[in-house]
Amino acid sequence: MKVKMISRNPDNYVRETKLQQHKMPRNYDPSLHPLEGPREYVRALNATKLDRVFAKPFVCNLSGHRDGVSCFGKHPKQLSTLATGAYDGEVRIWDLANRISSRNFVAHDGFVRGIVYTQNAARIFTVGDDKTIKVWKAEAPEVGEDEVPVNTILSKFGLHGISHNRKDNKFATCGEVCAIWDESHNDPLKTLKWGVDTLHTISYNPVETSILACCASDRSIILYDQREAQPLRKVVLTMKSNKLAWNPMEAFNFTVANEDCNLYTFDTRKLQAPLKVHFDHVSAVTDVDYSPTGKEFVSASYDKTIRIYNAHHSHSRDIYHTKRMQHVVCVAWSLDNRYVFSGSDEMNVRMWKANASEKLGVIRPRERVNFNYQEALKQKYAAHPQIKRIARHRQVPRHVLNAQNKMRTVKEKEQVKEANVRKHTKKSKKVPYVSEKKKHVLKEEV
């Protein structure tokens, strides 16, 4: 004889406190939920529409510079601190929480080419067109004290960029040569050169901290090792690269911003062709910076827009622009992965949300659960045509739209011309197919 008993666990329906919501029992039997798929699709469609309705990425504008903004320096320990340099030699330290400038001082005669913090955030290094490296205290001076540099180093060569090692007390500068310095010395420890007139940007690898890379005026990207006496490798592209950023999570990968409106992600172990070509900009790309997760990066361009890319996708997931924003010179991604900063020619620093529809402020637990549920639904149904169309649609400025149409027409005509040449060429003289990735790399030197 079988005896069936009803067994109930109080944890499934009894609240722990009076403030909690009543727990509702649910039967997960799929036969009781015959329309679960269509219901989830409608929810995903509504979530995608609401995502575009609430997409308001612009947070604030930081004004105070009297000339165009040229470079950024991120504080390694304080999320609310950002250093900016301008064309007139002025450096400003911003308090992002209060949206005010906490310090400002004239650091150089001419452009400020680079700003970096030391790894312990005790000092700030700046370089400029006056061939000097100046060291400043990271903390503001006392009341009544003048803003004077702790140390001034005069370089033999022009300086176009600076990068600090993440673990050592070493930093590197670029100009006519690549120079490795120590914070406690006024002379470079090592000078590296590979037959190039000018190196205009330099960046240390945040993971393999002895590796650094430069972009040169001869359209090349040069890899260095500060432990070696000679440069390691060199790859030459069809056009000049303006900036370089290392992936903070994938030690071998870096992305360069190029003059031909594209960005290229390379693997240092195989420089014959880029891993990915990133399109969508319609003018020269001036700067690039990775998110701390390494999954996305932001780029700035002379087309007066900034774009956010997935590191493994060819097309941008979002575009930010305003009517007043002019040529964007520099960008930075905050270390908490929530904000993006842009500096442009019209003297303003702008702060944007990394996720355009993200809610700012306090989020209650039930809200967070709902946001996570909606995000999961959008990912699940992302390939459906209607949802894909709504999620991808963006309003762009008219000059960008016209330039995109023009570039598309030119590319289609080139493809037609190549197809006609291939069609009317003898079989003995075949026209080779060249992939999009290999078109932009001329050669690699070791």
Side-chain angles (χ1 to χ4, degrees):
M1 178 180 177
K2 292 183 179 180
V3 178
K4 295 183 179 181
M5 296 180 61
I6 297 176
S7 176
R8 291 191 177 93
N9 186 359
D11 293 337
N12 294 332
Y13 56 89
V14 176
R15 295 183 295 174
E16 294 182 3
T17 65
K18 293 181 179 179
L19 300 178
Q20 285 186 344
Q21 297 290 324
H22 286 277
K23 297 183 178 181
M24 299 297 292
R26 182 181 175 188
N27 192 331
Y28 290 93
D29 185 3
S31 62
L32 300 177
H33 304 280
L35 299 177
E36 185 176 6
R39 192 183 303 118
E40 281 190 347
Y41 174 77
V42 171
R43 288 175 181 173
L45 186 63
N46 291 337
T48 306
K49 291 179 179 178
L50 288 174
D51 198 23
R52 302 312 310 148
V53 168
F54 292 110
K56 294 181 173 63
F58 184 72
V59 177
C60 69
N61 177 59
L62 306 174
S63 59
H65 279 294
R66 292 181 291 273
D67 209 337
V69 183
S70 60
C71 57
F72 285 148
K74 292 187 287 188
H75 197 290
K77 295 183 178 180
Q78 294 180 5
L79 297 174
S80 61
T81 301
L82 180 72
T84 60
Y87 295 163
D88 59 355
E90 184 187 39
V91 173
R92 283 184 177 266
I93 311 297
W94 299 93
D95 182 358
L96 300 176
N98 298 315
R99 303 179 185 180
I100 59 172
S101 173
S102 58
R103 290 171 66 188
N104 66 292
F105 50 89
V106 177
H108 297 278
D109 296 330
F111 281 29
V112 180
R113 294 292 181 178
I115 303 174
V116 291
Y117 279 87
T118 59
Q119 85 275 11
N120 58 1
R123 296 280 189 271
I124 303 174
F125 285 81
T126 62
V127 296
D129 282 349
D130 54 2
K131 295 186 178 181
T132 59
I133 305 170
K134 293 189 177 181
V135 187
W136 310 81
K137 288 184 179 179
E139 296 182 357
E142 299 292 335
V143 179
E145 290 185 8
D146 293 332
E147 193 80 64
V148 293
V150 177
N151 188 18
T152 302
I153 304 171
L154 184 61
S155 174
K156 297 179 182 178
F157 308 102
L159 300 171
H160 289 182
I162 185 171
S163 181
H164 201 284
N165 196 303
R166 193 169 182 177
K167 295 181 180 178
D168 298 336
N169 293 327
K170 293 184 176 64
F171 63 95
T173 59
C174 66
E176 296 175 32
V177 296
C178 173
I180 311 296
W181 304 74
D182 192 286
E183 291 182 12
S184 58
H185 295 80
N186 286 350
D187 293 318
L189 302 176
K190 192 179 296 184
T191 301
L192 303 170
K193 192 172 183 180
W194 194 347
V196 178
D197 293 336
T198 306
L199 304 170
H200 48 264
T201 184
I202 189 167
S203 179
Y204 263 105
N205 191 318
V207 182
E208 296 289 340
T209 53
S210 60
I211 305 296
L212 60 156
C214 288
C215 296
S217 59
D218 65 344
R219 303 168 296 167
S220 65
I221 303 164
I222 306 175
L223 299 179
Y224 300 94
D225 190 333
Q226 69 176 14
R227 300 165 295 186
E228 300 289 337
Q230 297 293 331
L232 297 178
R233 301 170 75 185
K234 178 179 179 181
V235 58
V236 182
L237 306 183
T238 54
M239 293 190 72
K240 189 185 76 166
S241 298
N242 292 319
K243 280 287 184 177
L244 183 145
W246 290 94
N247 191 318
M249 290 297 168
E250 299 173 359
F252 299 103
N253 295 349
F254 64 87
T255 299
V256 291
N258 203 272
E259 284 281 336
D260 63 357
C261 313
N262 298 333
L263 297 105
Y264 302 97
T265 298
F266 282 92
D267 189 326
T268 55
R269 298 164 294 184
K270 188 179 179 182
L271 294 175
Q272 294 86 357
L275 290 176
K276 186 67 69 174
V277 182
H278 308 278
F279 304 99
D280 286 346
H281 279 297
V282 295
S283 189
V285 188
T286 54
D287 200 2
V288 59
D289 190 32
Y290 264 93
S291 69
T293 61
K295 295 180 179 179
E296 294 178 321
F297 62 84
V298 60
S299 63
S301 174
Y302 253 48
D303 61 11
K304 306 176 186 178
T305 64
I306 63 174
R307 289 182 181 267
I308 297 177
Y309 291 83
N310 186 301
H312 301 291
H313 292 173
S314 293
H315 294 278
S316 62
R317 72 160 174 84
D318 221 332
I319 175 173
Y320 295 162
H321 55 90
T322 65
K323 289 184 179 179
R324 290 185 58 198
M325 188 161 68
Q326 297 302 309
H327 303 316
V328 189
V329 180
C330 50
V331 288
W333 201 304
S334 67
L335 295 179
D336 62 348
N337 198 34
R338 296 190 66 189
Y339 300 101
V340 170
F341 308 101
S342 66
S344 45
D345 273 350
E346 86 292 345
M347 305 175 287
N348 288 316
V349 178
R350 289 180 173 83
M351 187 174 175
W352 313 79
K353 290 187 286 187
N355 185 5
S357 58
E358 181 183 7
K359 179 185 176 182
L360 297 180
V362 179
I363 300 178
R364 297 184 178 183
R366 294 186 68 195
E367 273 185 311
R368 189 177 300 279
V369 170
N370 185 41
F371 290 154
N372 293 340
Y373 176 62
Q374 290 182 350
E375 192 65 31
L377 285 178
K378 286 187 290 184
Q379 292 179 4
K380 181 176 179 180
Y381 293 93
H384 284 246
Q386 188 76 355
I387 292 177
K388 188 176 182 180
R389 182 188 64 82
I390 296 171
R392 190 177 53 188
H393 180 73
R394 295 292 184 278
Q395 296 286 352
V396 297
R398 185 174 296 276
H399 71 275
V400 174
L401 185 64
N402 294 337
Q404 283 178 340
N405 294 334
K406 183 178 179 181
M407 291 174 65
R408 189 181 300 113
T409 303
V410 170
K411 191 171 183 179
E412 289 174 356
K413 287 187 176 182
E414 288 178 352
Q415 290 174 348
V416 170
K417 182 178 179 180
E418 185 179 343
N420 289 336
V421 171
R422 188 173 285 112
K423 184 189 300 183
H424 299 287
T425 303
K426 292 181 179 180
K427 293 183 179 180
S428 59
K429 299 179 181 179
K430 290 185 178 180
V431 179
Y433 288 93
V434 181
S435 68
E436 187 68 30
K437 292 181 179 179
K438 293 184 178 180
K439 285 181 182 177
H440 307 282
V441 178
L442 293 181
K443 61 179 178 178
E444 181 191 7
E445 299 179 15
V446 181

